[in-house]
Structure formats: structure tokens, C-alpha cells
Amino acid sequence: MSEHFSTDIKTLTRYILETQKHHPTASGDLTILMSAIQVGCKFVESCVRKASLVNLVGLAGNVNVQGEEQKKLDELSNDMFINALRASGKVKTMVSEEIDNVIICEGDGKYCVTFDPLDGSSNIDAGVNVGTIFGIFKHNKDSKTPEDDYKVPGSDIIIAGYCMYGSSCNLVIAIGEGQVDGFTLDPSLGEFILTHPSIRMPSRGKIYSANEGNSLYWDEATRKYIDSVKYPQTPGTKPYVARYIGSMVADVHRTLLYGGIFAYPSDTKSKDGKLRILYEGFPMAYICEQAGGKATTGLKRVLDLVPKDVHARCPIFLGSKEDVEDVEKTFAIYETCLPADFK
Ligand code: P6P
């Protein structure tokens, strides 16, 4: 029997072209920008796939056979994204998890891009899924300093996405108007193909995802919420299942598809939490909201935050709408160590 070949495949590039109607002013610029991001993701996927073979994992400072300084995977990934985005000619400023200051590009690019080139890279030696997270904002021509591009609420984000490098390479993108779609890299074509159209998050889940190794430092509100799903008081209600991978892209991807809650809360050790607003909190909060979920600090919508600096952190509970609303109800009652900025 002849294998069925589709000759009308929806690649990510075709998908972005078709969504130009959402961004009439984009005039194809977003397509070119997204092509640059795709190149970065394909490069990282290739390196992650080979990492253990070519001894790339976790190395820094080693000298390879050519006598060149061996770069760690996250440094390589970072360089690739910076070069690809700069070469696109569509980016004015960038914020990378790997670079202290805002990167300014020549020319009159219309967009700003925030990204974590290889989030979760500390797990890579163990073969745990890692990922790239990105957010696209409009460049504000009236910005007095490059940092001003980023002192805006997360709701200004135009497109957000992540690419997860695991048993397959999955890219999820949110382009606005409630549209969240998933693509899988077809290595034989070198194209991301639409495989998960119109992703919607279940309104309530059965999974909670948090690092309970921090529970000694949690405030009363967080402890009360986590206890409420571990030891439900309503007769006949089952406890939630615990799942925590420790790689945000993997934990969020599961939460997006299966529902439930992912949390990296504020605690007495780290009052601002651990995750970075611009290239972890905002993109993931945007994707969750666009898929019908929510994202809160406990008392404030994450997308209403305005980062004080480009590497500012925020506490985050994200996931199914009803689960996040339970968090907010709990935080409205019990004591919290949340700083004022997050209330
Ligand atoms: P912890 C990975 O280092 C990361 O930045 C996120 O990907 C992940 O959600 C979090 O940190 C895990 O942190 O403290 O639980 O190891």
C-alpha cells in the first residue's frame, strides 16, 4: 500500500504568513523574524541531539581538537539566536538570559525580542527536556533608553512561544486572539509542521507542579494552597497528582496540554521567586492566557506586571483557569510574603 503523503502541509512559515491579517502593520516583517527564530530553534535542536555524542554537554573552558575554546550549549544557543535575530534586520533590541545588558541592533527594526536560549540547561546532562522561550514586543521609537522598550506590561507582548527539545522537537506559539498552536519539527524536511492546532487548556486539571524542596520557605498562602490539592477537604475528592520536571518548558508544556497548575512561588528565601519576568514569566503567562488559562503572582495577573529591570524575577502560578482562581482565593485569605510590586 502506498504511504499517504500530504502535499498540503501547514508549515510554521505558511502559518505565520496566513496570520498576517492579525497584524496588518507587520508587512511580512513578522514572517522574517519568525524565520530567524525557527533557524535558532533548529540549530539548538541539532546541537542538543548531538550534545552527548560530540561531548558538548555542560562544558566550558575546555579546548576542542582544533584548539578552540569549547563553548557550553547555552552559550552556543545564545550566540546563534543573537546572530539570527540581528541578521533578520527586523529587531531593534534584544534581551537574552545569557547577556547582562540589552542588545541594540543597527537599522530600524520594528521589534524587540526577549529570549532564554536554553532554559533548563542544567538538566541537559541527564537527558531531561530543555527548551527555548521567546517573546516578541513592538520597539517603541519614543524609548529614551533601550531598557525603556522593556518597562512595559506583559500584555504588550505580540507573539510568545517556546521550543521544547525532547524525544521530538515541539514548538508552541501564541499569536494573539486566543490562537495557540503546536508544531513538530520534521527532520527530513527541516520544517516545523502543524501537529497540535488550536490548543485549549482544560478549565481544571488534576496535576500540581512545584518544587516541594522549597516548602520550608513557602509562605502560609502557598502552603495552604498546595495542601488543599494534596489533602482535599471535600469528601470524595481525590488528591492531585504531583509532577515536577524542573525544566520550565517541559512543566508548562504538560500543564498546557493536560491542565493543572505549575508554580514557582515567592518564598522567604527568594521573595521575587526564581523565574525571570521577560523571558520566562511573560511568554509563558501569555501562552497560558491565550489557551484559556491564567497566570498570577498569587494576587496579581502576571501580564499586568512591569519589570523594573530586564532580568527582574516574579513569582508565578500558571495553568487551568479554575485552578489559578483557587490560588487567588487562597492568597486573598492567608498571609503571604509577596513584595508590594506583586500584589
Ligand atoms: P528549581 C531551570 O533552571 C529553571 O530556570 C526553569 O526551567 C525551572 O522551572 C526552574 O529553574 C527549576 O528551578 O529551583 O526547582 O531547580
Side-chain angles (χ1 to χ4, degrees), residues 50-314:
K50 287 183 300 210
S52 48
L53 295 177
V54 297
N55 201 15
L56 269 176
V57 289
L59 296 177
N62 284 40
V63 172
N64 66 15
V65 291
Q66 290 81 16
E68 294 153 354
E69 170 83 5
Q70 184 75 49
K71 284 190 169 181
K72 281 175 61 176
L73 259 181
D74 41 13
E75 292 171 48
L76 275 176
S77 308
N78 183 55
D79 294 350
M80 184 64 191
F81 274 104
I82 290 173
N83 293 335
L85 288 168
R86 193 194 300 279
S88 76
K90 304 303 174 189
V91 179
K92 187 60 190 168
T93 62
M94 303 179 221
V95 168
S96 165
E97 192 265 349
E98 295 283 330
I99 305 291
D100 288 346
N101 302 314
V102 176
I103 299 161
I104 302 165
C105 301
E106 298 300 318
D108 58 352
K110 287 195 295 192
Y111 298 102
C112 313
V113 182
T114 67
F115 61 96
D116 186 347
L118 199 59
D119 184 80
S121 53
S122 57
N123 297 298
I124 204 159
D125 307 46
V128 172
N129 285 12
V130 292
T132 298
I133 309 171
F134 62 89
I136 301 175
F137 298 78
K138 289 279 279 184
H139 168 55
N140 175 359
K141 291 196 184 308
D142 302 330
S143 300
K144 292 184 177 50
T145 71
E147 286 71 19
D148 288 351
D149 265 344
Y150 298 97
K151 290 178 179 165
V152 296
S155 47
D156 283 10
I157 215 165
I158 300 172
I159 287 180
Y162 60 80
C163 190
M164 183 170 71
Y165 311 106
S167 52
S168 62
C169 180
N170 299 101
L171 188 146
V172 170
I173 188 169
I175 56 166
E177 300 185 13
Q179 194 68 30
V180 179
D181 297 283
F183 297 78
T184 304
L185 182 65
D186 177 338
S188 65
L189 284 177
E191 290 285 359
F192 284 99
I193 309 297
L194 182 64
T195 50
H196 297 70
S198 303
I199 295 174
R200 304 305 299 162
M201 194 185 284
S203 59
R204 179 177 287 280
K206 301 183 175 68
I207 299 170
Y208 78 97
S209 182
N211 180 349
E212 296 205 60
N214 292 328
S215 53
L216 176 65
Y217 311 110
W218 285 346
D219 60 21
E220 185 187 24
T222 297
R223 261 201 321 281
K224 285 287 186 187
Y225 171 71
I226 297 292
D227 285 352
S228 73
V229 295
K230 287 173 72 173
Y231 316 105
Q233 297 304 300
T234 312
T237 306
K238 282 187 185 168
Y240 277 29
V241 171
R243 289 284 184 275
Y244 190 71
I245 300 166
S247 181
M248 187 182 197
V249 172
D251 281 317
V252 171
H253 189 62
R254 182 204 54 247
T255 304
L256 190 66
L257 298 183
Y258 294 174
I261 198 99
F262 166 78
Y264 211 106
S266 161
D267 65 32
T268 52
K269 181 163 58 80
S270 318
K271 289 270 177 77
D272 291 355
K274 173 181 184 182
L275 300 175
R276 308 286 185 167
I277 296 177
L278 277 176
Y279 39 80
E280 290 173 317
F282 278 174
M284 294 310 205
Y286 182 74
I287 293 166
C288 281
E289 285 200 3
Q290 291 293 309
K294 293 184 83 171
T296 181
T297 63
L299 287 171
K300 188 169 187 176
R301 180 185 178 228
V302 168
L303 290 180
D304 288 342
L305 298 176
V306 176
K308 281 209 168 74
D309 73 74
V310 292
H311 296 293
R313 302 171 193 266
C314 72

